[in-house]
Amino acid sequence: MKFGGTSVGTPQRMQDVSQLITKSGEPTFVVLSAMSGTTNSLVEICDYLYKKNSDGANEVINNLEKKYMKHVDELYSTEEMREATRKFLTDEFRYLRSFTKDIFTSFEEKIIVAQGEVMSTNMVVNYLKEIGIKAVLLDGLDFMRTDKNAEPDAPYIKEHLAETMAANKGYQIYITQGFVCRNAYGEVDNLQRGGSDYTASLIGAALMAEEILIWTDIDGMHNNDPRIVDETDAVHQLHFEEAAELAYFGAKILHPTCVQPAKFAGIPVRIKNTMDPEADGTVINNNLQRGTIKAVAAKDNIIAIKIKSSRMLLATGFMRKVFEIFENYNTPIDMITTSEVGVSVSIDKATHLEQIVDELKKYGTVTVDKDMCIICVVGDLDWSNLGFETLATDAMRDIPVRMISYGGSNYNISFLIKEADKKRALQNLSAQLFNK
């Protein structure tokens, strides 16, 4: 089970989470994020330290310490456990203050940012012990590691987690920190993408768990954006590929890479709501429901770039040259369409836009459209399903579409439109696909 920051955001929530993880009575491995707001404060401390403002950093540390000490009084009922946790937190904040006295680099920043998870896991384990649960805290730095490409080192994780579990047999609850790891050189680091969800998926795969439960503050992945469209429903089941498409194209509830370890291990991932634990949520597995469109998602802040060149397009190597420009500036492409005289792509990273456009101008006329949005329709969209793409395009009939991408995957059809038309597009698609 994995719980995000809002799920452990207050002493009451920590108590509620403790009830959830002990309910089944089965051995359960739990990954916890930092209490909500903590990581932001730790990042703020780092910001002051980079600016050599130790007074500013100490003020944030003092405010955070007061907040945590107040939580201790609310969380525990015995003075013994309050005292033990206060001592742990006092040492923890003294450790944070030690960084205000020396040279500060990105190495120290990663250590500081990891402390939120260290505090939340210690506090919950202490509470479980207080209520009589056989629980143990495992240090994620003992088994979570990335390789030289900053990707999770799955064989290392599996081997060292097995050793850690063998040394800690017989507990009902095993708790560790999400997000934190060591890099290939043994330094404290963090999982760049997906954070705690990724930790849970990697651990679930390494343990060959029965199921990976991601507990969050919404009852599963919805068939549309509930902030924009009325009457959305949680999707009961998604294929791993469908979930990855939705996550990549804007469904913020899950990071696209974090389900991959579970997918390859064949372990279902279930998304559940901490505030409504009885709701079914969404299960993600390798089953594909044929003939069904599942959901719609939107990705904002997209830039469309068109390179038009009747002289160059048919020349060998033209596409390679175009893509190399984006690669050189570490800018991934979301969508691509081609014609005899041009190629259009979309990107969501404007950092090097000016340089990219400059270089593209060597190969043709370049047009840039900003404030665009990708609308992604996900489901069984295999090309042999007659009329399925028409259902989606019909809903978009009164909305100007800049690009359409279909056929790159069996699970999605995407439309590039103006951000100003997003609300209408999402509402039209819901009416056409789900609310008939």
Side-chain angles (χ1 to χ4, degrees):
M1 297 185 181
K2 174 263 172 178
F3 293 89
T6 51
S7 298
V8 290
T10 65
Q12 182 60 55
R13 295 255 173 95
M14 285 184 168
Q15 290 168 351
D16 294 342
V17 160
S18 299
Q19 297 304 316
L20 282 173
I21 63 183
T22 55
K23 195 175 178 183
S24 70
E26 293 182 73
T28 304
F29 201 109
V30 180
V31 174
L32 295 182
S33 297
M35 289 180 83
S36 54
T38 300
T39 303
N40 288 342
S41 295
L42 295 171
V43 168
E44 191 183 356
I45 291 163
C46 296
D47 195 34
Y48 279 120
L49 293 176
Y50 274 125
K51 292 178 171 68
K52 298 184 169 51
N53 181 351
S54 56
D55 289 344
N58 276 318
E59 192 173 328
V60 180
I61 293 169
N62 291 343
N63 289 337
L64 196 59
E65 184 172 23
K66 278 181 209 159
K67 181 178 163 186
Y68 269 82
M69 290 304 180
K70 187 169 177 287
H71 290 330
V72 169
D73 292 333
E74 294 174 41
L75 183 57
Y76 306 102
S77 55
T78 65
E79 196 49 47
E80 181 192 357
M81 199 52 83
R82 281 181 186 147
E83 201 45 51
T85 309
R86 276 195 204 105
K87 184 184 180 312
F88 156 73
L89 287 172
T90 300
D91 291 344
E92 187 64 29
F93 284 102
R94 189 178 293 132
Y95 180 53
L96 286 176
R97 286 187 189 94
S98 72
F99 290 94
T100 65
K101 298 173 177 66
D102 293 314
I103 293 166
F104 192 76
T105 68
S106 60
F107 175 71
E108 284 80 20
E109 178 185 17
K110 284 172 179 171
I111 294 172
I112 286 179
V113 171
Q115 299 314 304
E117 279 76 8
V118 171
M119 290 191 278
S120 64
T121 49
N122 271 277
M123 288 169 75
V124 171
V125 165
N126 283 354
Y127 177 72
L128 288 167
K129 287 176 179 174
E130 185 182 65
I131 61 172
I133 302 296
K134 204 173 178 195
V136 64
L137 175 59
L138 306 179
D139 188 345
L141 298 178
D142 290 343
F143 47 86
M144 295 304 297
R145 191 175 84 162
T146 53
D147 59 23
K148 287 181 180 176
N149 299 316
E151 295 295 335
D153 188 340
Y156 179 97
I157 293 167
K158 187 164 189 171
E159 180 190 339
H160 286 77
L161 183 57
E163 288 171 6
T164 303
M165 295 299 280
N168 291 276
K169 284 182 177 170
Y171 288 93
Q172 184 189 337
I173 304 295
Y174 296 84
I175 290 189
T176 197
Q177 305 86 17
F179 174 65
V180 299
C181 64
R182 290 193 187 278
N183 61 22
Y185 310 100
E187 300 160 340
V188 174
D189 209 330
N190 48 60
L191 295 171
Q192 297 298 319
R193 304 181 301 273
S196 299
D197 290 350
Y198 211 174
T199 305
S201 189
L202 288 160
I203 288 173
L207 293 172
M208 287 309 293
E210 205 175 287
E211 187 174 57
I212 296 164
L213 277 137
I214 307 284
W215 289 91
T216 180
D217 54 2
I218 188 169
D219 53 344
M221 290 179 101
H222 278 233
N223 59 10
N224 210 322
D225 190 333
R227 296 165 302 180
I228 294 172
V229 178
D230 295 332
E231 296 178 38
T232 66
D233 295 312
V235 182
H236 180 65
Q237 184 271 344
L238 287 166
H239 185 276
F240 278 117
E241 295 289 347
E242 292 172 332
E245 295 276 12
L246 281 172
Y248 182 75
F249 285 107
K252 298 276 190 291
I253 199 166
L254 209 58
H255 194 280
T257 55
C258 81
V259 292
Q260 295 301 338
K263 174 191 169 185
F264 296 134
I267 297 168
V269 174
R270 191 180 295 274
I271 300 167
K272 298 267 283 178
N273 187 354
T274 326
M275 318 304 165
D276 184 10
E278 299 309 312
D280 285 343
T282 301
V283 65
I284 304 165
N285 53 30
N286 277 315
N287 302 332
L288 177 64
Q289 288 185 345
R290 292 280 172 198
T292 310
I293 291 178
K294 294 287 184 65
V296 178
K299 189 176 184 182
D300 295 330
N301 304 314
I302 302 295
I303 300 158
I305 303 171
K306 179 159 76 175
I307 309 103
K308 187 179 169 189
S309 174
S310 52
R311 183 171 58 87
M312 291 295 293
L313 192 73
L314 296 176
T316 305
F318 172 72
M319 285 296 210
R320 176 179 54 78
K321 286 170 187 168
V322 167
F323 286 129
E324 272 179 357
I325 291 168
F326 289 95
E327 186 184 343
N328 291 341
Y329 289 102
N330 197 25
T331 302
I333 290 170
D334 287 317
M335 288 173 69
I336 173 166
T337 58
T338 63
S339 76
E340 193 180 344
V341 293
V343 53
S344 283
V345 300
S346 75
I347 60 172
D348 65 358
K349 191 174 163 188
T351 319
H352 301 290
L353 180 63
E354 208 174 304
Q355 296 98 312
I356 288 168
V357 170
D358 263 1
E359 292 203 32
L360 288 171
K361 282 179 178 174
K362 295 174 190 171
Y363 304 110
T365 312
V366 180
T367 314
V368 177
D369 294 313
K370 294 182 180 177
D371 300 321
M372 306 296 281
C373 166
I374 294 175
I375 304 286
C376 169
V377 178
V378 165
D380 177 23
L381 285 156
D382 189 280
W383 68 279
S384 60
N385 293 341
L386 287 175
F388 268 42
E389 72 287 353
T390 311
L391 286 171
T393 51
D394 266 5
M396 304 290 285
R397 61 185 171 272
D398 62 343
I399 289 166
V401 176
R402 168 75 177 74
M403 285 167 68
I404 298 177
S405 176
Y406 176 59
S409 141
N410 288 339
Y411 304 97
N412 119 37
I413 179 169
S414 296
F415 302 90
L416 184 69
I417 63 170
K418 290 177 186 170
E419 264 183 34
D421 294 323
K422 177 174 91 166
K423 184 175 180 179
R424 199 155 47 100
L426 291 178
Q427 288 171 338
N428 287 3
L429 283 161
S430 260
Q432 175 83 2
L433 302 173
F434 311 125
N435 299 337
K436 282 195 166 183

